[in-house]
Amino acid sequence: MRQSQMLVPTLKENPADAECASHRYLVRAGFIRQTAAGIYSYLPLGYRVIRKIEAIVRDEMEKAGCVELLMPAMQPAELWHETGRWHVYGPELMRLKDRHGRDFALGATHEELITSLVRDELNSYKKLPMTLYQIQTKYRDERRPRFGLLRGREFIMKDAYSFHSNPESLDERYQIMYEAYKNIFSRCGLDFRPVIADSGAIGGKDTHEFMALAEVGEDTIAYSDSSDYAANIEMAAVLFKEEKSDEALLPLDTGDVKAGEENSIKIGWYRADDTNVCVLYRAGNEINEVKVKNVLDAAMIEEWAHDGDPFEMKDSVVLLADQALKNVVNGRLDNKNGEVLHYNVNVERDLPHARIADLCMIKEGDPSPDGVGTIRFARGIEVGQIFKIGTKYADAMGANFLDENGKSQPIIMGCYGIGISRTLSAIAEQHHDEFGLVWPKSVAPFTVHIVPVNAKNEAQKLLSEQLYEHLSRDYDVLLDDRDERAGVKFAEADLIGCPIRITVGKKAQEGLIELKDRRTGEQRECAVSEVEEAIREFLNK
Ligand code: ATP
Ligand code: MG
């Protein structure tokens, strides 16, 4: 493609509103432009990368036996009423009315729509399993759209849905999708980790998130320094290790009050769905609300503005205690203001009705939950997630099939998402330097960027045109045919970040050109006749 014919509006300065490297460079290099908060155009260069990512996703999805379809973005409210999500989803769901006053949503996700499609069709075990996917624009009115494409309000997602007659079939599919996702993100050149995650509001049990490692990531990952273990920090189990103590248990509220942080038992108050909850934990630890929510099998949890004495609590409050309290002998129970409520407290003895569980956050330096190595933290960008949903949507929407015995059963579902536009940003976040973007060859907008030093020089122009013609047979080639100063063209080539730059300069007449590896900066002069060999060598490094 000829650069003079493309819309590549590069900027000399960093855009003032850009909060991270990918946002800064994608705007500066002319890949994207913002139209409104969290709503972007993909300019020609950006759209080429999107299409390359999509091609990798399609290839891996087809290899995994998934079939592509395309569903509407505009979805009637009735479907969302069937599952109750018209109300549950909240202000993130973009809503609109048609001319007759009927309510619609712009698809934030497509579980309802696809379930409505299959419920009349996949009505026999003979038609199952099946996995369908689409690549489509999604809408979410995010509270804080930011970081360019990383958190948009309109974004491109690949979403897949699988349908099964038994849980084993779902397990098998989940594993296939897990492997396909690993292939996709590897092929995109991402440094990533699949992590154990929480299923949140979507429902279901097993779920993994695929995290691209990056400082700007909004999630914290806990991973082992010596094994494959990795989990979303909220999901990482804390291993309990009993500490032997020779101390005798003293009667409650008698004798001395023990000072010191390590003897302090703290209290947290929560509301989980409709239940009031009191959580006791050891000072120095932090309550993990996701664990509290999951122990109670609740869908939602929030802090409860309350204070009180757990010894004088009503039956309407559920009492939980973190496992670490088993190691606190003759502890001191403090209220929110640090005032002593009771002392010489031994939780298992004094509060036997307290349910003891793992309720606190893991810490850096803790032993890894799989028993191998030590926990470290890293920041990550969620580029994909896979879920075993189960029958939540089939139950709500009456999607049933007849099993081998002619009995009607709800269809078992899995769902699998990838943020295509977020993946583009995540790649840019991991692949850049002080001069601009440095695309992995698999997703680069062009593989080769030909830059004649002097556009007015006939020999340089001719050779550049010949190379362009010739190399375009095997590679995606961008020819900088603009009448610009060499310095400007070089700087922009670095900013755009194609893997190989070919400079056609003074030695054009002798049939000599120069190749530059964008990533390593390595430069090499070579004869025109050997250019293909040299490109192959550069690309295989
Ligand atoms: P997040 O926790 O970041 O809000 P999510 O868990 O709500 O994301 P999913 O419902 O799992 O997102 O959607 C599947 C994928 O779509 C995500 O893994 C992510 O890559 C992408 N995605 C979700 N929200 C956005 C967004 N606002 N902008 C860009 N990509 C997004
Ligand atoms: Mg998710």
Side-chain angles (χ1 to χ4, degrees), residues 25 69 107 125 128 173 188 271 280 370 375 382 463 471:
Y25 283 137
L69 83 174
Y125 73 94
L128 298 168
R173 170 51 44 187
C188 286
R271 288 192 46 80
L280 305 182
D370 68 350
I375 285 296
E382 181 196 323
L463 183 55
L471 292 176

Side-chain angles (χ1 to χ4, degrees), residues 140 198 207 209 382 384-385 387 422:
R140 293 184 187 179
D198 180 43
T207 172
E209 286 170 351
E382 181 196 323
Q385 183 160 19
F387 287 99
R422 185 181 279 184

Side-chain angles (χ1 to χ4, degrees), residues 140 142 149-152 155 157 382-385 387 417-419 421-422:
R140 293 184 187 179
E142 299 274 0
L149 302 180
L150 283 177
R151 185 166 296 286
F155 58 95
M157 195 201 285
E382 181 196 323
V383 283
Q385 183 160 19
F387 287 99
I418 290 181
S421 43
R422 185 181 279 184

Side-chain angles (χ1 to χ4, degrees), residues 208-451:
H208 282 84
E209 286 170 351
F210 289 76
M211 293 287 183
L213 302 182
E215 271 310 308
V216 295
E218 295 180 345
D219 298 283
T220 302
I221 304 162
Y223 68 95
S224 163
D225 62 2
S226 345
S227 79
D228 274 348
Y229 179 85
N232 208 307
I233 184 169
E234 285 88 14
M235 293 304 288
V238 174
L239 284 187
F240 176 69
K241 197 166 148 266
E242 201 178 320
E243 296 162 12
K244 284 265 175 281
S245 162
D246 311 331
E247 226 178 304
L249 303 195
L250 298 175
L252 183 69
D253 292 334
T254 56
D256 297 333
V257 181
K258 262 209 256 174
E261 170 96 343
E262 67 281 10
N263 297 308
S264 163
I265 302 171
K266 302 236 171 255
I267 312 174
W269 300 94
Y270 292 92
R271 288 192 46 80
D273 292 348
D274 295 327
T275 311
N276 298 325
V277 190
C278 173
V279 184
L280 305 182
Y281 63 105
R282 190 174 197 170
N285 288 338
E286 191 188 334
I287 296 184
N288 181 333
E289 295 184 9
V290 173
K291 287 184 183 172
V292 175
K293 182 192 78 167
N294 288 346
V295 158
L296 296 168
D297 222 358
M300 183 278 316
I301 187 160
E302 59 185 356
E303 274 192 51
W304 177 27
H306 183 80
D307 209 356
D309 183 345
F311 282 76
E312 290 160 20
M313 246 164 30
K314 300 208 180 63
D315 287 349
S316 59
V317 182
V318 172
L319 182 61
L320 302 177
D322 180 62
Q323 56 187 7
L325 291 177
K326 292 205 250 180
N327 285 334
V328 177
V329 180
N330 302 326
R332 190 182 74 245
L333 181 64
D334 297 330
N335 71 5
K336 270 187 191 165
N337 304 323
E339 294 152 0
V340 180
L341 290 175
H342 295 280
Y343 57 100
N344 290 334
V345 175
N346 293 286
V347 170
E348 286 179 291
R349 179 193 68 187
D350 301 326
L351 295 163
H353 57 295
R355 189 163 154 202
I356 296 183
D358 169 17
L359 301 172
C360 285
M361 298 296 269
I362 200 161
K363 294 204 260 273
E364 230 172 345
D366 279 356
S368 176
D370 68 350
V372 186
T374 301
I375 285 296
R376 300 270 165 253
F377 287 174
R379 307 285 293 172
I381 300 167
E382 181 196 323
V383 283
Q385 183 160 19
I386 56 178
F387 287 99
K388 289 184 192 170
I389 293 189
T391 58
K392 173 175 165 164
Y393 294 93
D395 288 337
M397 299 181 71
N400 301 314
F401 69 98
L402 291 180
D403 68 11
E404 286 92 331
N405 306 315
K407 201 173 144 235
S408 179
Q409 303 233 32
I411 301 176
I412 299 170
M413 247 174 105
C415 82
Y416 319 86
I418 290 181
I420 302 279
S421 43
R422 185 181 279 184
T423 296
L424 178 143
S425 271
I427 297 170
E429 200 56 51
Q430 287 186 358
H431 298 272
H432 67 266
D433 60 17
E434 69 264 45
F435 304 113
L437 298 157
V438 185
W439 293 104
K441 62 186 178 202
S442 58
V443 295
F446 294 94
T447 309
V448 179
H449 197 167
I450 301 175
V451 182

